[in-house]
Amino acid sequence: LRFNFGASFHTSSDRCRSHTSRETRPVLMELNRRRKTIELNNKLKEVNPIDRRSSFLEWNFQAELAALNGRLGENIPSGVLTEVFTTEGHIDAEREKQEEL
């Protein structure tokens, strides 16, 4: 019986799991730096470039509720979900939109 106590007990994938190559790491660092610069610029301009999903033209509220129902793994009636997600702020915003039209 021989034991090799000097051998590593890790596989090569375990050793390199969190390792980023020499070429990749500087690129990722540069991308993060640019992202932070853009976020700061947007914050100083008080602009939010990330639009809410509900502001898109192809927004389908019923399909989104059905998808949520599926993700929850429950069979909740869509009327109940609609009532739950409708807030007074949303109602006021919809009234303002209707008045503008």
Side-chain angles (χ1 to χ4, degrees), residues 9 14 18 26 29-31 45 55 60-61 65 73 78 82 85:
F9 292 104
D14 287 340
S18 64
M29 290 176 67
E30 177 65 19
L31 289 175
K45 288 182 179 179
S55 66
N60 187 346
F61 187 69
L65 287 180
S78 62
T82 303
F85 287 115

Side-chain angles (χ1 to χ4, degrees), residues 7-51:
S8 173
F9 292 104
H10 300 288
T11 62
S12 62
S13 63
D14 287 340
R15 285 190 304 248
C16 298
R17 184 176 299 160
S18 64
H19 174 72
T20 308
S21 71
R22 252 185 205 181
E23 294 84 17
T24 306
R25 183 182 169 133
V27 171
L28 293 177
M29 290 176 67
E30 177 65 19
L31 289 175
N32 281 335
R33 187 188 65 77
R34 289 180 186 184
R35 180 185 50 81
K36 287 178 184 178
T37 303
I38 291 171
E39 286 177 356
L40 178 61
N41 188 26
N42 289 334
K43 189 178 282 188
L44 292 174
K45 288 182 179 179
E46 296 179 356
V47 176
N48 187 8
I50 302 171
D51 294 327

